[in-house]
Amino acid sequence: MPAPPEAPQPPPPPPPTDAMPPPAGAPVTVREHAPDSVSSNYKVDWSALDKNGDGNVSRAEVRASGNDDLAREFHVVDANHNGRLSKEEMKGWLR
């Protein structure tokens, strides 16, 4: 009588990664670096962008402006990720 086939083995556990959060109370290092933009079209007329005059520029206002570079980099410029660009955030992009 032939031997029964071997049961399949479960896959090995994934290797540890650096993406794991540190344990509670462990020191955390935060680094800041300049964005790596590839555009040189950094000409912005704030009053023309801020169509509703609320002091911020929305993604829709950027798209409507036709500034493709800013539209493409919106997520990088929007440092606090609130969906609006402030003049302070724009200063970081314009340097």
Side-chain angles (χ1 to χ4, degrees):
M1 195 154 117
E6 285 187 33
Q9 297 295 317
T17 67
D18 292 336
M20 299 296 290
V28 176
T29 302
V30 177
R31 294 185 179 94
E32 183 177 339
H33 63 290
D36 55 349
S37 174
V38 295
S39 174
S40 60
N41 182 20
Y42 293 162
K43 297 170 184 71
V44 173
D45 178 355
W46 183 263
S47 58
L49 279 176
D50 186 15
K51 293 289 187 189
N52 64 4
D54 68 352
N56 294 292
V57 177
S58 69
R59 187 180 298 271
E61 287 171 317
V62 170
R63 281 191 205 119
S65 76
N67 188 327
D68 293 337
D69 295 319
L70 183 54
R72 183 176 46 255
E73 296 184 5
F74 189 96
H75 69 286
V76 176
V77 181
D78 184 15
N80 63 3
H81 307 292
N82 68 351
R84 297 182 311 272
L85 303 180
S86 67
K87 286 185 179 181
E88 287 300 313
E89 288 170 320
M90 288 295 294
K91 285 179 187 176
W93 189 65
L94 295 171
R95 290 190 202 233

